[in-house]
Amino acid sequence: MATDEITLHRGLSGVYFDRTETTFIDGREGKLLYRGYNIHELADASTFEETSYLLMYGELPTQAELDDFDATLKANRNIPPEVTGIIHAVKDDHPMSVLRTAVSALSAFDPESEDNSSEATLRKGIRLTSQVPTIVMAHHNIRNGREPVPPTENLNHASNFLYMMDGEEPTPETAALMDTDFVLHADHGSNASAFTARAVASTNADLHDAVTAGIAALSGPSHGGAAENVMTMAMEIGEPENAEKYVKDLLASGGRVMGFGHRVYRAEDPRARHLRDGVRDLSAEKGEPKWYAILEAVQKAMSPYARRGIHVNVDFFAGVIYYLNGIPHDLFVPIFAVGRIPGWTVQVIEQFEHNILIRPLLQYAGPEERSYTPISER
Ligand code: CMC
């Protein structure tokens, strides 16, 4: 095809490449549904366990189904000692790189690692949902010279995650906020990491391959890394009265305000409001209201950009919540990954069930055809 007949869709922006029955996003309205249920209802009333079941099986569970699913999640929290050994060996790397390496290694110990049937992939996704929090917190302790805190079956997913940080059970309020955070991050359509996972699955590679690649894609600051950068920004701002000048200077130098903007949303990211209230309450409870005040001031400074469709996204509030719970900055992206395993799993299953190799085209923009010159004549 002549190059002037090609329509380029850089970044695949606005391109539909397949169908999904999992997550619906209306970016203009700021609407997000998991399997038809509004994210606002799920954030207010559901739990990560129930939402994961919904995503993975397509329907809300009965109490008996939820109990069974919960028991399976709890029973699969341990990781093989060999994987703990690998975490020791790479402990000085960024936690996202350690997570990527450990998930890749887990495939060697999974009894169904190469079985790409929907049933086996779902079982592997449930195991990974349980194991990923254990990897993140085992690494956190190992790099601090401590023994990992083993997971407990006495706590729900969010509480157990926080418990494995230092062996302390979180308060019910803290655990509930973490649970909501996981619900909000469980799936989000064809974002960069889910697309990457689908592209890997489209070659008939397996779930561990796809999730390992998804973790790699999530690690960048334009996708998962924004929460970490928002906290760095809040610390640099220091006091609410500095926010306006900070934002002005950043934008004037061509920088981006982290936690703002989204490829899909032109209205506010519907996930943001559930964490906004959490930051406000937690900042007050911890006697550090300035963090909420700084975020408010940044939002005010960014308000002229709302006309251009640049609003806060989910990551704007998440970072301060993690910080106020004593979680180190570089664990913020791994927390996103902990929440996202159900989403990657169902999207990989969808890919397998209607598989087509993902293989787009690149428009050639290099030199015209030319003759090879022997090296002696160059
Ligand atoms: N601060 C200032 N200006 C912005 C921002 C921002 N955060 N985001 C977009 N813009 C401007 C951008 O400069 C551009 O302006 P112009 O047209 O004058 O060149 C315009 O908006 C469009 O930007 P774009 O890069 O073409 O839009 P995109 O859809 O490719 O970018 C984004 C999406 C998320 C990469 C971008 O908004 C960004 O870098 N945001 C900051 C990082 C961030 O918060 N990421 C987390 C996303 S939410 C978590 C998730 O779901 O992955």
mmCIF file of all heavy atoms in Angstrom, residues 35-65:
data_model
loop_
_atom_site.group_PDB
_atom_site.id
_atom_site.type_symbol
_atom_site.label_atom_id
_atom_site.label_comp_id
_atom_site.label_asym_id
_atom_site.label_seq_id
_atom_site.Cartn_x
_atom_site.Cartn_y
_atom_site.Cartn_z
ATOM 1 N N ARG A 35 -18.301 -6.210 34.709
ATOM 2 C CA ARG A 35 -19.360 -7.192 34.422
ATOM 3 C C ARG A 35 -20.750 -6.572 34.594
ATOM 4 O O ARG A 35 -21.669 -7.208 35.119
ATOM 5 C CB ARG A 35 -19.242 -8.411 35.349
ATOM 6 C CG ARG A 35 -17.919 -9.161 35.252
ATOM 7 C CD ARG A 35 -17.898 -10.095 34.059
ATOM 8 N NE ARG A 35 -16.754 -10.990 34.104
ATOM 9 C CZ ARG A 35 -16.427 -11.787 33.103
ATOM 10 N NH1 ARG A 35 -17.128 -11.805 31.986
ATOM 11 N NH2 ARG A 35 -15.376 -12.571 33.190
ATOM 12 N N GLY A 36 -20.874 -5.283 34.259
ATOM 13 C CA GLY A 36 -22.173 -4.603 34.319
ATOM 14 C C GLY A 36 -22.438 -3.882 35.632
ATOM 15 O O GLY A 36 -23.397 -3.124 35.736
ATOM 16 N N TYR A 37 -21.624 -4.101 36.647
ATOM 17 C CA TYR A 37 -21.843 -3.441 37.946
ATOM 18 C C TYR A 37 -20.991 -2.177 38.037
ATOM 19 O O TYR A 37 -19.784 -2.205 37.743
ATOM 20 C CB TYR A 37 -21.483 -4.377 39.112
ATOM 21 C CG TYR A 37 -22.423 -5.556 39.209
ATOM 22 C CD1 TYR A 37 -22.097 -6.785 38.633
ATOM 23 C CD2 TYR A 37 -23.652 -5.434 39.861
ATOM 24 C CE1 TYR A 37 -22.962 -7.865 38.703
ATOM 25 C CE2 TYR A 37 -24.530 -6.522 39.935
ATOM 26 C CZ TYR A 37 -24.176 -7.720 39.351
ATOM 27 O OH TYR A 37 -25.035 -8.785 39.415
ATOM 28 N N ASN A 38 -21.654 -1.071 38.486
ATOM 29 C CA ASN A 38 -20.964 0.212 38.556
ATOM 30 C C ASN A 38 -19.872 0.185 39.622
ATOM 31 O O ASN A 38 -20.079 -0.321 40.731
ATOM 32 C CB ASN A 38 -21.983 1.312 38.879
ATOM 33 C CG ASN A 38 -21.422 2.678 38.586
ATOM 34 O OD1 ASN A 38 -20.419 3.088 39.171
ATOM 35 N ND2 ASN A 38 -22.051 3.370 37.657
ATOM 36 N N ILE A 39 -18.710 0.763 39.286
ATOM 37 C CA ILE A 39 -17.576 0.764 40.217
ATOM 38 C C ILE A 39 -17.934 1.460 41.530
ATOM 39 O O ILE A 39 -17.413 1.105 42.590
ATOM 40 C CB ILE A 39 -16.318 1.395 39.569
ATOM 41 C CG1 ILE A 39 -15.049 1.089 40.386
ATOM 42 C CG2 ILE A 39 -16.465 2.905 39.392
ATOM 43 C CD1 ILE A 39 -14.644 -0.335 40.424
ATOM 44 N N HIS A 40 -18.858 2.431 41.465
ATOM 45 C CA HIS A 40 -19.227 3.132 42.703
ATOM 46 C C HIS A 40 -19.914 2.174 43.681
ATOM 47 O O HIS A 40 -19.646 2.185 44.870
ATOM 48 C CB HIS A 40 -20.133 4.327 42.402
ATOM 49 C CG HIS A 40 -19.458 5.369 41.550
ATOM 50 N ND1 HIS A 40 -18.208 5.856 41.851
ATOM 51 C CD2 HIS A 40 -19.852 5.995 40.420
ATOM 52 C CE1 HIS A 40 -17.855 6.745 40.917
ATOM 53 N NE2 HIS A 40 -18.828 6.833 40.047
ATOM 54 N N GLU A 41 -20.809 1.329 43.141
ATOM 55 C CA GLU A 41 -21.499 0.373 44.011
ATOM 56 C C GLU A 41 -20.511 -0.656 44.551
ATOM 57 O O GLU A 41 -20.554 -1.026 45.722
ATOM 58 C CB GLU A 41 -22.593 -0.349 43.235
ATOM 59 C CG GLU A 41 -23.845 0.463 43.059
ATOM 60 C CD GLU A 41 -24.977 -0.406 42.529
ATOM 61 O OE1 GLU A 41 -25.699 -1.005 43.340
ATOM 62 O OE2 GLU A 41 -25.086 -0.485 41.286
ATOM 63 N N LEU A 42 -19.599 -1.110 43.677
ATOM 64 C CA LEU A 42 -18.638 -2.129 44.121
ATOM 65 C C LEU A 42 -17.681 -1.542 45.161
ATOM 66 O O LEU A 42 -17.367 -2.189 46.157
ATOM 67 C CB LEU A 42 -17.860 -2.689 42.919
ATOM 68 C CG LEU A 42 -18.709 -3.460 41.904
ATOM 69 C CD1 LEU A 42 -17.900 -3.781 40.654
ATOM 70 C CD2 LEU A 42 -19.252 -4.747 42.528
ATOM 71 N N ALA A 43 -17.223 -0.296 44.924
ATOM 72 C CA ALA A 43 -16.295 0.324 45.887
ATOM 73 C C ALA A 43 -16.965 0.503 47.240
ATOM 74 O O ALA A 43 -16.337 0.337 48.288
ATOM 75 C CB ALA A 43 -15.812 1.668 45.348
ATOM 76 N N ASP A 44 -18.248 0.832 47.226
ATOM 77 C CA ASP A 44 -18.947 1.071 48.497
ATOM 78 C C ASP A 44 -19.363 -0.223 49.194
ATOM 79 O O ASP A 44 -19.345 -0.306 50.413
ATOM 80 C CB ASP A 44 -20.206 1.931 48.264
ATOM 81 C CG ASP A 44 -19.852 3.383 47.960
ATOM 82 O OD1 ASP A 44 -18.723 3.789 48.296
ATOM 83 O OD2 ASP A 44 -20.701 4.083 47.374
ATOM 84 N N ALA A 45 -19.770 -1.239 48.404
ATOM 85 C CA ALA A 45 -20.429 -2.385 49.035
ATOM 86 C C ALA A 45 -19.682 -3.711 48.905
ATOM 87 O O ALA A 45 -19.924 -4.624 49.690
ATOM 88 C CB ALA A 45 -21.824 -2.541 48.438
ATOM 89 N N SER A 46 -18.792 -3.832 47.922
ATOM 90 C CA SER A 46 -18.180 -5.144 47.688
ATOM 91 C C SER A 46 -16.835 -5.255 48.408
ATOM 92 O O SER A 46 -16.417 -4.343 49.130
ATOM 93 C CB SER A 46 -18.015 -5.360 46.181
ATOM 94 O OG SER A 46 -17.590 -6.679 45.919
ATOM 95 N N THR A 47 -16.197 -6.390 48.236
ATOM 96 C CA THR A 47 -14.842 -6.601 48.771
ATOM 97 C C THR A 47 -13.960 -7.054 47.614
ATOM 98 O O THR A 47 -14.474 -7.437 46.548
ATOM 99 C CB THR A 47 -14.835 -7.731 49.813
ATOM 100 O OG1 THR A 47 -15.286 -8.939 49.150
ATOM 101 C CG2 THR A 47 -15.735 -7.410 50.993
ATOM 102 N N PHE A 48 -12.645 -7.051 47.826
ATOM 103 C CA PHE A 48 -11.743 -7.505 46.765
ATOM 104 C C PHE A 48 -12.036 -8.966 46.415
ATOM 105 O O PHE A 48 -12.034 -9.334 45.230
ATOM 106 C CB PHE A 48 -10.284 -7.336 47.183
ATOM 107 C CG PHE A 48 -9.326 -7.835 46.135
ATOM 108 C CD1 PHE A 48 -9.162 -7.149 44.937
ATOM 109 C CD2 PHE A 48 -8.584 -8.999 46.331
ATOM 110 C CE1 PHE A 48 -8.296 -7.606 43.949
ATOM 111 C CE2 PHE A 48 -7.711 -9.462 45.358
ATOM 112 C CZ PHE A 48 -7.560 -8.767 44.163
ATOM 113 N N GLU A 49 -12.316 -9.793 47.429
ATOM 114 C CA GLU A 49 -12.574 -11.215 47.156
ATOM 115 C C GLU A 49 -13.812 -11.357 46.269
ATOM 116 O O GLU A 49 -13.806 -12.084 45.272
ATOM 117 C CB GLU A 49 -12.787 -11.993 48.467
ATOM 118 C CG GLU A 49 -11.522 -12.242 49.270
ATOM 119 C CD GLU A 49 -11.091 -11.060 50.151
ATOM 120 O OE1 GLU A 49 -11.599 -9.925 49.952
ATOM 121 O OE2 GLU A 49 -10.237 -11.269 51.042
ATOM 122 N N GLU A 50 -14.903 -10.639 46.641
ATOM 123 C CA GLU A 50 -16.141 -10.756 45.883
ATOM 124 C C GLU A 50 -15.978 -10.190 44.471
ATOM 125 O O GLU A 50 -16.446 -10.770 43.490
ATOM 126 C CB GLU A 50 -17.266 -10.015 46.616
ATOM 127 C CG GLU A 50 -18.616 -10.238 45.986
ATOM 128 C CD GLU A 50 -19.702 -9.405 46.652
ATOM 129 O OE1 GLU A 50 -19.581 -8.157 46.700
ATOM 130 O OE2 GLU A 50 -20.674 -10.008 47.126
ATOM 131 N N THR A 51 -15.281 -9.039 44.367
ATOM 132 C CA THR A 51 -15.071 -8.419 43.052
ATOM 133 C C THR A 51 -14.199 -9.315 42.167
ATOM 134 O O THR A 51 -14.433 -9.429 40.961
ATOM 135 C CB THR A 51 -14.441 -7.020 43.236
ATOM 136 O OG1 THR A 51 -15.375 -6.212 43.939
ATOM 137 C CG2 THR A 51 -14.108 -6.367 41.916
ATOM 138 N N SER A 52 -13.204 -9.954 42.763
ATOM 139 C CA SER A 52 -12.357 -10.872 41.982
ATOM 140 C C SER A 52 -13.197 -12.028 41.449
ATOM 141 O O SER A 52 -13.053 -12.437 40.287
ATOM 142 C CB SER A 52 -11.220 -11.433 42.850
ATOM 143 O OG SER A 52 -10.416 -10.392 43.323
ATOM 144 N N TYR A 53 -14.081 -12.556 42.313
ATOM 145 C CA TYR A 53 -14.972 -13.642 41.872
ATOM 146 C C TYR A 53 -15.829 -13.157 40.710
ATOM 147 O O TYR A 53 -15.967 -13.837 39.687
ATOM 148 C CB TYR A 53 -15.859 -14.101 43.039
ATOM 149 C CG TYR A 53 -16.725 -15.291 42.697
ATOM 150 C CD1 TYR A 53 -16.379 -16.578 43.095
ATOM 151 C CD2 TYR A 53 -17.900 -15.133 41.946
ATOM 152 C CE1 TYR A 53 -17.172 -17.675 42.760
ATOM 153 C CE2 TYR A 53 -18.689 -16.208 41.596
ATOM 154 C CZ TYR A 53 -18.324 -17.481 42.015
ATOM 155 O OH TYR A 53 -19.102 -18.561 41.661
ATOM 156 N N LEU A 54 -16.395 -11.955 40.873
ATOM 157 C CA LEU A 54 -17.244 -11.381 39.822
ATOM 158 C C LEU A 54 -16.484 -11.290 38.501
ATOM 159 O O LEU A 54 -16.983 -11.702 37.442
ATOM 160 C CB LEU A 54 -17.717 -9.985 40.265
ATOM 161 C CG LEU A 54 -18.431 -9.135 39.223
ATOM 162 C CD1 LEU A 54 -19.789 -9.738 38.867
ATOM 163 C CD2 LEU A 54 -18.612 -7.698 39.724
ATOM 164 N N LEU A 55 -15.264 -10.750 38.552
ATOM 165 C CA LEU A 55 -14.477 -10.616 37.321
ATOM 166 C C LEU A 55 -14.144 -11.984 36.735
ATOM 167 O O LEU A 55 -14.261 -12.210 35.535
ATOM 168 C CB LEU A 55 -13.185 -9.843 37.599
ATOM 169 C CG LEU A 55 -13.336 -8.330 37.789
ATOM 170 C CD1 LEU A 55 -12.039 -7.721 38.322
ATOM 171 C CD2 LEU A 55 -13.728 -7.644 36.489
ATOM 172 N N MET A 56 -13.748 -12.905 37.614
ATOM 173 C CA MET A 56 -13.253 -14.192 37.124
ATOM 174 C C MET A 56 -14.366 -15.134 36.658
ATOM 175 O O MET A 56 -14.163 -15.913 35.733
ATOM 176 C CB MET A 56 -12.409 -14.869 38.209
ATOM 177 C CG MET A 56 -11.067 -14.166 38.424
ATOM 178 S SD MET A 56 -10.194 -14.850 39.847
ATOM 179 C CE MET A 56 -8.488 -14.422 39.460
ATOM 180 N N TYR A 57 -15.555 -15.089 37.329
ATOM 181 C CA TYR A 57 -16.633 -16.016 36.969
ATOM 182 C C TYR A 57 -17.798 -15.331 36.255
ATOM 183 O O TYR A 57 -18.712 -15.993 35.788
ATOM 184 C CB TYR A 57 -17.151 -16.736 38.223
ATOM 185 C CG TYR A 57 -16.137 -17.692 38.822
ATOM 186 C CD1 TYR A 57 -15.284 -17.282 39.847
ATOM 187 C CD2 TYR A 57 -16.030 -19.007 38.360
ATOM 188 C CE1 TYR A 57 -14.342 -18.144 40.399
ATOM 189 C CE2 TYR A 57 -15.103 -19.887 38.906
ATOM 190 C CZ TYR A 57 -14.261 -19.445 39.920
ATOM 191 O OH TYR A 57 -13.338 -20.312 40.455
ATOM 192 N N GLY A 58 -17.809 -13.999 36.219
ATOM 193 C CA GLY A 58 -18.833 -13.287 35.442
ATOM 194 C C GLY A 58 -20.079 -12.895 36.205
ATOM 195 O O GLY A 58 -20.867 -12.087 35.726
ATOM 196 N N GLU A 59 -20.315 -13.472 37.381
ATOM 197 C CA GLU A 59 -21.502 -13.173 38.188
ATOM 198 C C GLU A 59 -21.091 -12.980 39.644
ATOM 199 O O GLU A 59 -20.065 -13.513 40.069
ATOM 200 C CB GLU A 59 -22.509 -14.344 38.134
ATOM 201 C CG GLU A 59 -23.093 -14.625 36.762
ATOM 202 C CD GLU A 59 -23.986 -13.497 36.231
ATOM 203 O OE1 GLU A 59 -24.470 -12.676 37.039
ATOM 204 O OE2 GLU A 59 -24.178 -13.433 35.002
ATOM 205 N N LEU A 60 -21.924 -12.249 40.387
ATOM 206 C CA LEU A 60 -21.678 -12.139 41.827
ATOM 207 C C LEU A 60 -21.879 -13.506 42.467
ATOM 208 O O LEU A 60 -22.793 -14.248 42.076
ATOM 209 C CB LEU A 60 -22.648 -11.125 42.457
ATOM 210 C CG LEU A 60 -22.353 -9.651 42.162
ATOM 211 C CD1 LEU A 60 -23.526 -8.779 42.614
ATOM 212 C CD2 LEU A 60 -21.058 -9.197 42.838
ATOM 213 N N PRO A 61 -21.067 -13.865 43.469
ATOM 214 C CA PRO A 61 -21.201 -15.193 44.081
ATOM 215 C C PRO A 61 -22.336 -15.254 45.103
ATOM 216 O O PRO A 61 -22.711 -14.234 45.681
ATOM 217 C CB PRO A 61 -19.851 -15.357 44.807
ATOM 218 C CG PRO A 61 -19.438 -13.955 45.148
ATOM 219 C CD PRO A 61 -19.950 -13.083 44.028
ATOM 220 N N THR A 62 -22.861 -16.460 45.328
ATOM 221 C CA THR A 62 -23.707 -16.687 46.513
ATOM 222 C C THR A 62 -22.762 -16.721 47.717
ATOM 223 O O THR A 62 -21.523 -16.800 47.550
ATOM 224 C CB THR A 62 -24.425 -18.043 46.424
ATOM 225 O OG1 THR A 62 -23.408 -19.074 46.394
ATOM 226 C CG2 THR A 62 -25.292 -18.134 45.175
ATOM 227 N N GLN A 63 -23.313 -16.734 48.925
ATOM 228 C CA GLN A 63 -22.454 -16.780 50.120
ATOM 229 C C GLN A 63 -21.582 -18.044 50.100
ATOM 230 O O GLN A 63 -20.376 -17.988 50.398
ATOM 231 C CB GLN A 63 -23.311 -16.748 51.393
ATOM 232 C CG GLN A 63 -22.500 -16.602 52.680
ATOM 233 C CD GLN A 63 -21.705 -15.295 52.737
ATOM 234 O OE1 GLN A 63 -22.270 -14.224 52.593
ATOM 235 N NE2 GLN A 63 -20.385 -15.380 52.913
ATOM 236 N N ALA A 64 -22.196 -19.182 49.722
ATOM 237 C CA ALA A 64 -21.425 -20.445 49.709
ATOM 238 C C ALA A 64 -20.297 -20.378 48.674
ATOM 239 O O ALA A 64 -19.166 -20.825 48.940
ATOM 240 C CB ALA A 64 -22.358 -21.618 49.407
ATOM 241 N N GLU A 65 -20.592 -19.799 47.511
ATOM 242 C CA GLU A 65 -19.555 -19.683 46.473
ATOM 243 C C GLU A 65 -18.421 -18.761 46.928
ATOM 244 O O GLU A 65 -17.243 -19.033 46.697
ATOM 245 C CB GLU A 65 -20.172 -19.140 45.169
ATOM 246 C CG GLU A 65 -21.033 -20.163 44.437
ATOM 247 C CD GLU A 65 -21.909 -19.554 43.348
ATOM 248 O OE1 GLU A 65 -22.186 -18.323 43.377
ATOM 249 O OE2 GLU A 65 -22.365 -20.318 42.478
#
